[in-house]
Amino acid sequence: MLRSAAAPTLATPRVMGLTAGTFFVAGGAAALAVILAAHFPDGRDRLVLLALAGTAVLTGAGLLVAGWRLPRPAYHGVLLLGTVLITLAVPLCPTTATALAISTVYVLVAVDVVFFFPWQHGAAHLAVLFAAGAWALHEREGVSAGVVAALVVVCLVVATAIALLVRIASDASHDGLTGLLNRRGFDVALDAAVAAGRTAPLSAALLDVDHFKTVNDGGGHGAGDALLQRIADQCAAALPPGAVLARYGGDEFALLLPGHDGRAALAVVERLRAQAHGAGLSAGVAQLSGGESGADLVRRADTALYAAKAGGRGRSRLDDLDSVELARDLALAVADGQVRAWFQPVVSPTSGGLVGVEALARWTHPVRGAVPPLEFVPVAESAGLIADLGRAVMADACRSARALRDAWGRDLLLTVNVSGRELTAGGYADSVLEVCRSTGWPVDLLVVEVTESLLDGSSGAALQALEELRGHGVGVAIDDFGTGYSSFSRLDTLPADYLKLDSGFIAEITTSPRRAGMLTALLSLAGSLGLQVVAEGVETEEQAELLVALGCPLAQGWLFGRPVPPADLAGARPAGPAPALLPPHELGTPHELSPPVR
Ligand code: C2E
Ligand code: CA
Ligand code: CA
């Protein structure tokens, strides 16, 4: 849409200075041409016209040099001055022809007017300009009302055409809502900055509005738009010189920071996040490294942003790994079966008996050593490796769990983590069922863990994949519940069987009576919704005792066992019968894909 309320965004201070300056010099030069070419019966007219031409040229030169320093409103004065100079010059011209020649300079002023200002301000300027022009020409012999009207029409048509063209050009690289550059404009600026040279550091950041969907859903699109405009204004006001801020997508902003290394860029982003009152922002930052393109840089910033969101949102992450290299090594490791699933016990806190295991991906890089999953999972996601990684880990986990089940002669539950992009990519349910089939792991002993935040803004594809898996008997766990914006009401609608309470929540149950109260309420709520609760990150006896007292059915944490290679658990055959594994409503459901238990 062509916006009428704002000036075209192409009219930056520098462009305004250059355009107005050039037009003033051109107007002055036209007057000088008349002075040189025409015969003046009255020598005084010639001198005054010379003074006016000189004023125009000098003003133009001043604008060319320093016009970019003038605030936009000052250009109202500049353009009025132009109108006045022409209106004084026209009556001094010795002939009708020269008067008409000079009055064409009005067109230059009109063009500036519609370029620099919003439509309504431009219209006011044009009205003044046409009135002045009509007055300047009214006593000329041979200049009828029709001639003036013809001049006005030509001037109007030229000005309107220019106005439309600059607005179209502005809109192509700018965002209509915030007035910032859009993705295309940002990419142009980014490529220019990358090409400009590699001597100074260059960093980029992506910032994402946390829970934007909630704002949009709750307050309507008007509220969402207002929030984006406010964030854009607040961030733009706090930018360092030379920085470029753009609206990169729906609720995503991009920032280009020439001259900033990764750490300095992170500091700027932290300042912007603090500046954006009333909205949480997650951010990913990356510094350009040798041989990288602008697109590579943005991809790494996106990886870091993803990690920031996975880490609980409302935070910034700096991608200080050379993730291009890491992704390449990871691809080889996945193909080579070097990414393994380790198992952390999931127990009944009452008896301490083992109920199942959570599979956690482990990768030891030949040079870097052990790389934590919180680092390599986002890399896999942005490099398009996540489906392969997820399948490899799940297959390894299923094979190892089957070996344990065979060795112990009893069932255990196997839970496996799923990442957002894995679930939304399509074909996830089929891929899981295929892994179960090929490894001989019973579908009804498998649980996939997803985070609530993954589901809250997600497409129907994620929910559909989970529903499909549940239809086949695979359980679904909501992971990390109790962080960020976890919402009780969502529990009712999520397709889940297990609720895993985040370690951050569990850490406070023995120190905060309110937390203990919440836990009591959550257990009762989960019970009535048919959800089994798993307390994560249990590290102390006190926590375990409280969980037992409150009747929490399942727990996991260093107190009961750290993640270990599956073979380490083979000797630890749990005593007694396997505790109830499945949520009450799932018990007794036939699962066609389950192989017979040996
Ligand atoms: P998560 O699913 O919340 O996994 C639990 C994390 O807490 C694990 O970290 C585990 O080692 C750690 N942990 C367990 N007990 C305790 C405790 O008592 N205290 C403390 N402080 N920490 C404890 P890990 O293995 O580094 O995994 C981190 C995250 O990486 C996981 O968080 C999960 O989101 C992700 N992840 C791990 N494996 C995979 C995978 O195969 N696929 C995907 N998509 N994500 C994975
Ligand atoms: Ca998990
Ligand atoms: Ca968790």
Side-chain angles (χ1 to χ4, degrees):
M1 267 320 294
L2 301 177
R3 287 169 300 137
S4 58
T9 38
L10 278 184
T12 59
R14 202 166 286 279
V15 169
M16 288 167 73
L18 290 178
T19 319
T22 310
F23 285 3
F24 266 83
V25 171
L32 286 174
V34 166
I35 292 164
L36 289 176
H39 169 72
F40 281 76
D42 183 344
R44 253 189 343 196
D45 284 358
R46 185 188 191 119
L47 276 181
V48 177
L49 192 58
L50 188 63
L52 293 175
T55 307
V57 171
L58 287 177
T59 308
L63 287 168
L64 285 174
V65 174
W68 59 276
R69 292 173 189 269
L70 291 180
R72 190 181 300 268
Y75 278 90
H76 284 295
V78 169
L79 296 184
L80 270 179
L81 172 66
T83 303
V84 168
L85 289 177
I86 303 165
T87 308
L88 292 177
V90 170
L92 298 173
C93 292
T95 61
T96 299
T98 50
L100 286 175
I102 291 301
S103 60
T104 58
V105 182
Y106 282 123
V107 177
L108 301 185
V109 179
V111 164
D112 272 357
V113 156
V114 294
F115 183 8
F116 295 177
F117 302 119
W119 290 105
Q120 61 272 34
H121 294 185
H125 264 286
L126 289 183
V128 171
L129 187 142
F130 292 144
W135 175 84
L137 288 168
H138 82 287
E139 282 192 332
R140 283 283 162 187
E141 223 185 294
V143 179
S144 61
V147 171
V148 173
L151 284 173
V152 167
V153 167
V154 169
C155 192
L156 258 183
V157 168
V158 171
T160 309
I162 296 277
L164 286 172
L165 287 175
V166 295
R167 278 159 177 79
I168 288 167
S170 293
D171 281 20
S173 58
H174 283 79
D175 170 50
L177 180 68
T178 59
L180 298 175
L181 285 178
N182 59 19
R183 187 186 199 117
R184 176 173 147 173
F186 182 82
D187 287 344
V188 170
L190 173 66
D191 289 341
V194 171
R198 306 213 170 240
T199 44
L202 176 70
S203 294
L206 291 178
L207 297 100
D208 192 275
V209 184
D210 295 335
H211 304 284
F212 183 70
K213 191 173 180 296
T214 316
V215 177
N216 245 353
D217 289 352
H221 287 280
D225 286 357
L227 177 65
L228 291 173
Q229 278 168 330
R230 206 172 60 237
I231 294 173
D233 290 347
Q234 287 166 342
C235 289
L239 289 181
V244 177
L245 181 67
R247 178 159 174 228
Y248 205 62
D251 61 344
E252 199 164 280
F253 294 89
L255 181 63
L256 185 64
L257 291 161
H260 288 66
D261 66 14
R263 302 256 154 231
L266 189 66
V268 170
V269 166
E270 280 303 291
R271 216 169 53 231
L272 296 190
R273 291 203 319 106
Q275 213 78 37
H277 307 293
L281 293 176
S282 301
V285 182
Q287 180 185 345
L288 188 74
S289 75
E292 259 189 327
S293 68
D296 294 333
L297 177 65
V298 170
R299 194 161 40 241
R300 284 198 297 115
D302 190 42
T303 302
L305 169 63
Y306 204 81
K309 288 203 268 185
R313 307 186 189 206
R315 64 195 67 200
S316 316
R317 278 280 170 89
L318 172 63
D319 176 285
D320 50 4
L321 289 167
D322 188 351
S323 62
V324 179
E325 201 180 284
L326 196 68
R328 202 188 50 214
D329 295 347
L330 182 60
L332 293 174
V334 169
D336 206 24
Q338 286 171 26
V339 181
R340 304 302 302 265
W342 282 26
F343 285 169
Q344 180 175 35
V346 177
V347 305
S348 152
T350 321
S351 63
L354 194 141
V355 178
V357 290
E358 175 174 4
L360 294 161
R362 290 293 179 267
W363 176 37
T364 305
H365 186 276
V367 179
R368 298 177 202 255
V371 184
L374 282 176
E375 271 177 34
F376 69 77
V377 168
V379 168
E381 289 188 298
S382 70
L385 291 171
I386 190 66
D388 289 345
L389 173 74
R391 206 178 309 110
V393 171
M394 184 171 283
D396 189 39
C398 287
R399 274 189 297 269
S400 299
R402 185 169 171 191
L404 286 182
R405 184 165 169 259
D406 290 349
W408 297 344
R410 54 157 272 196
D411 282 346
L412 72 153
L413 208 57
L414 169 64
T415 78
V416 180
N417 294 284
V418 189
S419 85
R421 294 194 190 176
E422 202 177 350
L423 196 56
T424 48
Y428 182 70
D430 287 341
S431 146
V432 169
L433 296 174
E434 173 51 33
V435 168
C436 286
R437 221 171 276 134
S438 65
T439 57
W441 183 253
V443 273
D444 54 357
L445 294 181
L446 181 68
V447 174
V448 293
E449 298 194 2
V450 294
T451 58
E452 187 206 5
S453 58
L454 187 164
L455 297 175
D456 86 1
S458 73
S459 59
L463 292 174
Q464 209 182 324
L466 294 179
E467 293 287 12
E468 194 181 337
L469 285 172
R470 289 182 89 215
H472 283 91
V474 176
V476 171
I478 304 300
D479 204 357
D480 302 342
F481 193 81
T483 51
Y485 285 72
S486 298
S487 98
F488 273 55
S489 62
R490 289 281 291 156
L491 286 181
D492 186 28
T493 51
L494 292 173
D497 310 284
Y498 297 85
L499 189 64
K500 300 195 75 169
L501 301 186
D502 187 67
S503 49
F505 183 90
I506 297 301
E508 289 178 30
I509 54 170
T510 48
T511 51
S512 154
R514 298 176 68 90
R515 276 291 154 112
M518 282 175 74
L519 177 59
T520 311
L522 257 175
L523 285 166
S524 130
L525 179 70
S528 48
L529 292 174
L531 289 166
Q532 294 253 42
V533 173
V534 185
E536 283 194 309
V538 180
E539 294 183 358
T540 68
E541 291 289 354
E542 292 75 26
Q543 289 165 349
E545 277 161 23
L546 185 59
L547 291 171
V548 171
L550 296 180
C552 181
L554 296 168
Q556 188 181 339
W558 292 347
L559 180 69
F560 306 109
R562 299 209 176 214
V564 290
D568 290 10
L569 292 175
R573 183 187 187 282
L581 294 179
L582 294 167
H585 69 277
E586 288 281 312
L587 286 174
T589 318
H591 301 290
E592 356 162 335
L593 286 169
S594 317
V597 180
R598 281 191 269 150

